[in-house]
Amino acid sequence: MKKFALLIAVATLACVQGVPAGDVTGKVTLKGTPPPEKPIAFDDTCGKMQPAVTTTRHYVVGKEGGLANVFVYISKGLEGKKFTPPADAVEVDQQGCNYQPYVSGVMAGQTVRIKNSDPIMHNIHALPKVDGNTEFNFAQPSQGDVNDTKWTESIKNPEVLVKLKCDVHPWMFAYVGVLPHPYFAVTDKDGNFKIANVPAGKYTLTAYHLKAHGAKPGEAQEISVADSPVTANFTVEVPPPPPQ
Ligand SMILES: [Cu+2]
């Protein structure tokens, strides 16, 4: 009898561990020539800090046209499934009078740790648009200030992307994608992304770039994940300039 119970336990464990899943990887390539980035008109204090970011980051293009800062996520196919937010925080740091990273992603309910690494005052002003997410605005006057609670108190619902800005320095912006599941990624400097361990199934995968897509939903493609890696590449076009 004991042996039988053990066999059931082993079989159950094997099933849990054996849920088929695959990594989804790919590259987002920019087609077309983006407008030149604008130099940031720093004030005296920030200019003296030799900031790492000195221009706008509208189109950050790397090797072979790879487009950085694209938010890639499963937009359909996970409805009705429940996921637990990761316990670790995603950090948004104020560093050299800019936000790092520029684009990031979290699960709804996950902490965004807001930090100030600069020896001057910044403030974080979140401007969500989705119902149930509320605006917040608070100052971090000193180097080393950290806040783990403002985000989780205010941003409870999925939203792609929540805009953050600093009211002290009008060039400072960051964007955070919020999803009801953990299957998303932001492209690196060469446009590559990897979404690990996606459960087997059929999904819509969307790639959204703030400047290229604006109010549009982004590029979408259907993917089918089984027990092996899936490749999904995207091409994003620079939109035509607005009529003069
Ligand atoms: Cu600031």
Side-chain angles (χ1 to χ4, degrees), residues 106-244:
V106 289
M107 236 189 97
Q110 188 178 0
T111 301
V112 173
R113 176 166 298 151
I114 297 163
K115 292 170 65 178
N116 183 6
S117 291
D118 287 339
I120 56 165
M121 182 169 90
H122 292 291
N123 81 318
I124 288 255
H125 189 173
L127 296 158
K129 290 181 178 162
V130 162
D131 279 352
N133 288 344
T134 51
E135 192 174 335
F136 66 82
N137 187 4
F138 70 103
Q140 289 195 318
S142 309
Q143 193 163 36
D145 283 348
V146 176
N147 186 293
D148 271 0
T149 60
K150 291 286 184 190
W151 178 278
T152 35
E153 284 164 1
S154 309
I155 312 293
K156 298 181 188 300
N157 295 314
E159 179 168 347
V160 177
L161 306 162
V162 176
K163 180 181 184 175
L164 303 175
K165 71 184 187 103
C166 173
D167 294 332
V168 183
H169 306 109
W171 60 84
M172 287 179 68
F173 298 102
Y175 299 87
V176 183
V178 187
L179 289 176
H181 60 72
Y183 302 108
F184 56 84
V186 177
T187 55
D188 68 12
K189 65 181 176 53
D190 295 317
N192 298 304
F193 70 89
K194 177 179 176 178
I195 305 173
N197 285 320
V198 177
K202 290 188 189 305
Y203 305 105
T204 305
L205 187 69
T206 294
Y208 175 82
H209 184 267
L210 187 70
K211 276 289 157 182
H213 297 122
K216 293 179 185 158
E219 318 291 327
Q221 60 176 283
E222 305 307 308
I223 57 166
S224 182
V225 179
D227 209 354
S228 55
V230 173
T231 304
N233 297 319
F234 291 89
T235 301
V236 168
E237 278 190 59
V238 177
Q244 297 292 310

